[in-house]
């Protein structure tokens, strides 16, 4: 009863920052965005095939927006072109998978061609995509009404955006409260934010040594769900640096001063908090009042 | 006793004709009205935005639970005591979720005496274990407001000035047995800036009204169990700081977490300082942990106050948990669905917009459905579309 009815939802968030992928195409022509999406599609198909009741969602995280590659809005509302394409899989592939793959390919092509790239930002805005993923999980949970285990897999390419710290932490705490795991598969540079996310929510963090083998890593490490992971030998947890960065120099500090009003962290004591501009009470050392002895007039000497 | 315009009591007002809310439609069914009531219940969370008011983020709270004879009453199922203890457990969990650097202590009062169940501590496990054990205790005698308040005051008066000192009393009896004049104690509490709030389980008691009014707390009497839960949750959010609380820079340590495995050559097992006094069994030896940056004492969990050197140890995510109180999210504007022809899908969850009203974020004008709006304001604390822009919040 229980094993078959349990619904497991996997949301894959793919970083499609065009600037990073463009530079990547110059660096390593054998691993491009289309290869990466092929690997992601393999992962998505495998997840759908594992159990009949598994569900999938794929979000592409672009520079200024996040777009759902699957499930597609038009398909759900029924006025898309889904009906004609549905029966075109001639090679005996399970229809759900071929329809899904076609939609993903179509959507990513539309997304990359229609979005204008402004500036040369090489960092990704992951917090927004994760927030949408959480809302999507929640609404699916409301619709099915059953026990649902969900997790989010992030495939990250470009670097972190430091401005997103607070929003990212909000998203991580919301995921932890809803018991949603966040796994991270990092292609290029290590990401401190994702390491914290995986540590706090209980997911896996992996930096891939060889990008070409992305599909293998995805299937080996990230396909099993949380119950099965305890029985497998998986990459060990990374050491996460939880030290805080001071607001004045952005250095990592071990002992700091925290303002009691706005919780900003400083490395040195200062009389005014720069964030909330409150003046602090400086703790003076306690003066011990000595007892005044009564002076006899004869012993009073004047100098 | 200072004069204050007393609120009109409920029996002094006119009749409330609650049956008139239910209206039948043409076919005689109540479906539309029931849906409306459910929709209002979902939106009942009154979003009180404090705006630019300073909040007391570091809180020292004592919860006083009345375990007198009246708690054996069965109007809350299975009896008042069990129901209260369960709700206080949930309260403690939520409290540490929203206020990670604060502390809670629990006091019980019966037989005209008060005793401490747990000391002020920042670790939720200890409190939850103590509450679970207290379910088997017997109720008897009369509670004593004076004794419980003076017990709480003994510890709270030594707390530093920048933290908010609070007491929350869950009071079920209609009487209290005090050894001295309680109004004098109320004056002392007010001088020490301790804020006392009361949740009554039976009826309104005048001494509680005076107590809460003088110290600046709130007094409510519950209607049923869900109202009780709501009133408790109201105290989870940090209250506005009193004008007299001092602002200071608190020295804190941010220890590194060392995970050592057995195959590591240099790893040495060591005892955690927090387990030295505990009698809960277990070897207590562990490989990794958090080492205080000042004195290198080891602890297994954060936040904690170092027993050796007195430094408060926290980790950066603990402080980050409280940031959403400082930058609260604005309430979204509610508008009927009919006005929005162009959008048919909620921006956040991509579901179809089916409810009769939708919510729009004032800064980015994206449209959300009811459940996403509730989730965004309760748990997420940031608008999914606004955080796509690059400007720092």
């Amino acid at each position: 009863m229980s094993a078959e009815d349990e619904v497991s939802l996997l949301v894959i968030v793919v970083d499609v920052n065009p600037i990073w992928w463009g530079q990547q195409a110059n660096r390593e022509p054998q691993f491009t965005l289309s290869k990466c999406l092929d690997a992601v599609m393999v992962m998505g198909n495998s997840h759908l095939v594992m159990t009949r009741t598994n569900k999938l969602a794929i979000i592409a995280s672009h520079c200024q927006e996040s777009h759902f590659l699957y499930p597609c809005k038009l398909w759900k509302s029924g006025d898309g072109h889904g009906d004609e394409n549905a029966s075109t899989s001639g090679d005996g592939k399970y229809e759900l998978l071929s329809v899904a793959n076609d939609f993903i390919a179509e959507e990513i092509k539309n997304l990359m061609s229609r979005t204008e790239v402004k500036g040369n930002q090489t960092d990704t805005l992951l917090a927004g995509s994760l927030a949408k993923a959480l809302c999507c999980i929640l609404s699916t949970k409301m619709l099915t009404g059953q026990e649902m285990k969900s997790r989010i897999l992030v495939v990250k390419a470009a670097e972190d955006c430091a401005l997103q710290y607070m929003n990212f932490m909000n998203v991580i705490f919301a995921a932890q409260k809803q018991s949603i795991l966040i796994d991270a598969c990092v292609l290029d540079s290590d990401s401190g934010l994702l390491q914290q996310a995986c540590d706090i929510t209980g997911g896996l963090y992996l930096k891939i040594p060889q990008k070409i083998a992305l599909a293998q890593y995805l299937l080996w490490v990230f396909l099993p769900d949380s119950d099965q992971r305890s029985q497998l030998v998986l990459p060990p947890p990374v050491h996460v640096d939880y030290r805080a960065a001071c607001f004045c120099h952005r250095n990592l500090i071990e002992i700091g001063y925290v303002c009691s009003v706005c919780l900003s962290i400083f490395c040195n004591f200062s009389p005014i908090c720069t964030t909330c501009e409150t003046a602090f009470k400086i703790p003076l050392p306690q003066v011990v009042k000595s007892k005044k002895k009564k002076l006899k007039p004869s012993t009073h000497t004047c100098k | 006793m200072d004069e204050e315009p007393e609120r009109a009591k409920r029996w002094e007002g006119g009749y409330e004709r609650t049956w008139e809310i239910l209206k039948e439609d043409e076919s005689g069914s109540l479906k539309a009205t029931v849906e409306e009531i459910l929709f209002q219940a979902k939106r009942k969370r009154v979003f009180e935005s404090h705006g630019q008011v300073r909040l007391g983020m570091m809180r020292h709270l004592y919860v006083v639970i009345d375990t007198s004879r009246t708690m054996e009453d069965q109007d809350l199922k299975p009896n008042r005591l069990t129901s209260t203890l369960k709700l206080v457990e949930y309260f403690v969990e939520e409290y540490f979720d929203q206020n990670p650097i604060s502390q809670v202590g629990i006091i019980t009062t019966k037989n005209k005496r008060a005793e401490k169940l747990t000391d002020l501590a920042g670790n939720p496990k200890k409190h939850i274990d103590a509450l679970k054990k207290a379910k088997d205790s017997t109720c008897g005698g009369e509670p004593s407001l004076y004794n419980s308040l003076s017990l709480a005051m003994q510890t709270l008066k030594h707390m530093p000035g920048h933290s908010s000192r609070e007491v929350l009393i869950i009071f079920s009896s209609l009487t209290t047995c005090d050894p001295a004049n309680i109004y004098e104690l109320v004056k002392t509490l007010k001088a020490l800036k301790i804020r006392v709030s009361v949740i009554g389980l039976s009826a309104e008691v005048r001494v509680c009204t005076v107590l809460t009014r003088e110290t600046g707390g709130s007094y409510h009497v519950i209607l049923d169990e869900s109202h009780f839960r709501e009133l408790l949750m109201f105290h989870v959010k940090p209250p506005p700081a009193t004008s007299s609380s001092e602002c200071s820079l608190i020295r804190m340590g941010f220890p590194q977490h060392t995970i050592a495995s057995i195959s590591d050559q240099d790893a040495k097992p060591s005892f955690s300082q927090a387990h030295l006094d505990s009698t809960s069994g277990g070897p207590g030896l562990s490989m990794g942990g958090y080492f205080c940056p000042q004195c290198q004492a080891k602890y297994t969990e954060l936040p904690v106050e170092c027993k050796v050197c007195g430094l408060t140890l926290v980790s950066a995510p603990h402080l980050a948990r409280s940031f959403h109180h400082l930058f609260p999210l604005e309430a979204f504007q509610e508008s009927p669905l009919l006005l929005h022809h162009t959008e048919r899908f909620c921006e956040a969850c991509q579901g179809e917009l089916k409810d009769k009203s939708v919510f729009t974020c004032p800064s980015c004008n994206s449209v959300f459905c009811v459940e996403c709006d509730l989730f965004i304001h309760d748990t997420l604390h940031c608008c999914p579309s606004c955080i796509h822009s690059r400007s720092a919040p």
Side-chain angles (χ1 to χ4, degrees), chain B residues 31-226:
Chain B
K31 188 159 165 244
T33 332
V34 170
E35 271 177 19
E36 167 81 27
I37 293 176
L38 286 176
F39 183 74
Q40 289 299 328
K42 269 195 226 173
R43 285 288 296 157
K44 207 165 146 192
R45 194 71 53 88
V46 174
F47 184 71
E48 280 173 29
S49 160
H50 287 290
Q52 300 295 318
V53 173
R54 195 180 280 177
L55 297 174
M57 308 293 295
M58 302 189 60
R59 306 166 68 185
H60 296 284
L61 170 71
Y62 262 111
V63 180
V64 177
I65 305 181
D66 173 6
T67 43
S68 62
R69 197 173 24 94
T70 49
M71 287 296 262
E72 282 175 356
D73 220 351
Q74 294 188 348
D75 53 2
L76 291 176
K77 302 297 167 200
N79 62 9
R80 281 187 191 175
L81 183 67
T82 320
S83 171
T84 307
L85 289 175
K86 201 166 58 143
L87 284 173
V88 173
E89 256 180 60
Y90 180 66
F91 169 76
V92 164
E93 277 170 19
E94 285 292 310
Y95 178 84
F96 281 111
D97 188 50
Q98 299 276 334
N99 308 281
I101 44 178
S102 308
Q103 295 181 335
V104 152
I106 305 181
I107 295 178
T108 55
T109 166
K110 67 179 177 193
N111 283 330
K112 307 171 192 162
R113 290 186 203 88
E115 73 176 34
K116 257 192 212 172
L117 201 61
T118 53
D119 261 324
L120 267 186
N123 188 357
K125 259 191 268 190
K126 242 191 280 182
H127 301 298
I128 294 182
D129 290 337
L131 284 169
K132 286 199 161 82
K133 262 193 264 181
K135 281 198 179 134
D136 307 322
S137 64
T138 52
C139 311
E142 278 187 32
S144 172
L145 265 185
Y146 187 97
N147 288 340
S148 35
L149 283 174
S150 61
L151 185 58
M153 197 173 72
Q154 272 165 23
T155 326
L156 283 180
K157 71 181 175 199
H158 295 295
M159 289 297 131
H162 55 76
S163 62
S164 85
R165 306 164 178 166
E166 300 163 43
V167 180
L168 172 64
I169 308 181
I170 299 181
F171 200 60
S172 118
S173 155
L174 294 172
T175 60
T176 167
C177 187
D178 302 329
N181 187 358
I182 196 167
Y183 294 116
E184 296 296 327
L185 187 65
V186 170
K187 285 205 197 99
T188 324
L189 286 172
K190 197 167 166 180
L192 287 174
K193 301 177 206 131
I194 299 178
R195 202 192 309 229
V196 181
S197 299
V198 181
I199 296 182
L201 301 189
S202 303
E204 181 178 353
V205 178
R206 173 143 181 101
V207 75
C208 295
T209 318
V210 172
L211 172 65
T212 51
R213 193 182 62 215
E214 293 294 314
T215 53
S218 65
Y219 182 26
H220 295 280
V221 177
I222 67 168
L223 295 172
D224 54 24
E225 191 161 343
S226 52

Side-chain angles (χ1 to χ4, degrees), chain A residues 66 68 73 76 123 125 132 163-164 167 170 173 176 239 241 243 254 256-258 260 262 278 281, chain B residues 54 97 247-254 256-257 317 321 326 345 347-350 380 387-388 390:
Chain A
S66 312
F68 272 77
K73 282 192 239 188
K76 275 204 286 197
D123 37 20
L125 297 176
K132 283 200 180 172
L163 300 169
Q164 288 231 303
N167 293 325
N170 279 336
F173 295 134
Q176 191 203 19
H239 174 229
D241 199 348
R243 284 179 298 175
E254 292 215 309
Y257 293 92
V258 175
S260 64
C262 61
T278 26
K281 187 168 156 248
Chain B
R54 195 180 280 177
D97 188 50
C247 332
S248 45
L249 273 183
I250 312 156
R251 198 152 171 271
M252 289 193 182
F254 299 96
Q256 288 259 40
H257 189 195
R321 259 186 218 270
L326 300 164
F345 293 99
E347 281 285 327
C349 63
Q350 312 291 309
L380 200 52
I387 57 184
H388 274 110
R390 248 160 222 288

Side-chain angles (χ1 to χ4, degrees), chain A residues 255-259 264-269, chain B residues 249-252:
Chain A
I255 301 184
Y257 293 92
V258 175
C259 166
S264 16
I265 306 167
F266 300 104
C267 44
N268 291 320
F269 189 87
Chain B
L249 273 183
I250 312 156
R251 198 152 171 271
M252 289 193 182

Side-chain angles (χ1 to χ4, degrees), chain A residues 26-226:
Chain A
N26 290 337
R27 282 192 292 254
E28 279 178 50
Q30 64 267 36
F31 183 70
T32 57
L33 180 59
S34 43
K35 292 261 181 356
C36 172
L37 279 171
D38 283 341
V40 166
M41 279 200 272
V42 164
M43 169 77 181
N45 291 351
S46 317
H47 177 77
L48 285 173
V49 165
M50 291 275 272
T51 314
R52 194 176 41 89
T53 50
N54 277 358
K55 291 194 202 296
L56 177 70
I58 304 190
I59 303 178
S61 172
H62 207 277
C63 292
Q64 305 284 351
E65 60 169 315
S66 312
H67 187 75
F68 272 77
L69 296 180
Y70 178 83
C72 177
K73 282 192 239 188
L74 296 171
W75 183 40
K76 275 204 286 197
S77 67
D79 54 18
H81 307 296
D83 308 85
E84 294 110 57
N85 294 341
S87 47
T88 53
S89 72
D91 55 356
K93 202 154 81 167
Y94 180 29
E95 259 185 52
L96 175 63
L97 301 183
S98 63
V99 165
N101 291 350
D102 290 337
F103 267 117
I104 295 171
E106 192 63 37
E107 287 290 321
I108 190 74
K109 271 189 274 192
N110 291 342
L111 176 67
M112 299 306 272
S113 48
R114 72 160 188 253
T115 324
E116 269 178 46
V117 177
K118 301 186 197 75
N120 56 350
Q121 310 123 346
T122 51
D123 37 20
T124 44
L125 297 176
L126 215 41
S129 321
L130 285 176
K132 283 200 180 172
L134 285 179
C135 292
C136 166
I137 292 177
L138 195 77
S139 80
T140 319
K141 220 182 252 196
M142 297 263 172
L143 281 177
T144 58
Q146 287 167 316
E147 275 283 319
M148 206 170 88
K149 280 190 311 199
S150 16
R151 56 189 206 274
I152 301 179
L153 167 61
V154 178
V155 177
K156 189 162 185 303
E159 288 118 29
D160 278 340
C161 178
L163 300 169
Q164 288 231 303
Y165 177 74
M166 209 171 75
N167 293 325
F168 210 88
M169 297 308 278
N170 279 336
V171 169
I172 296 174
F173 295 134
Q176 191 203 19
K177 206 156 176 204
Q178 304 276 324
S179 320
I180 296 173
L181 296 181
I182 298 183
D183 297 321
C185 180
V186 173
L187 299 179
D188 197 10
S189 43
D190 266 322
S191 152
L193 290 176
L194 275 178
Q195 282 177 346
Q196 286 192 23
C198 298
D199 196 44
I200 292 177
T201 53
L204 273 173
Y205 176 89
L206 181 65
K207 179 172 176 320
I208 296 193
Q210 288 163 336
K211 301 194 200 55
I212 309 176
L214 175 63
Q216 276 180 294
Y217 286 109
L218 287 180
L219 290 176
W220 164 49
V221 179
F222 297 107
L223 188 58
D225 59 20
S226 46

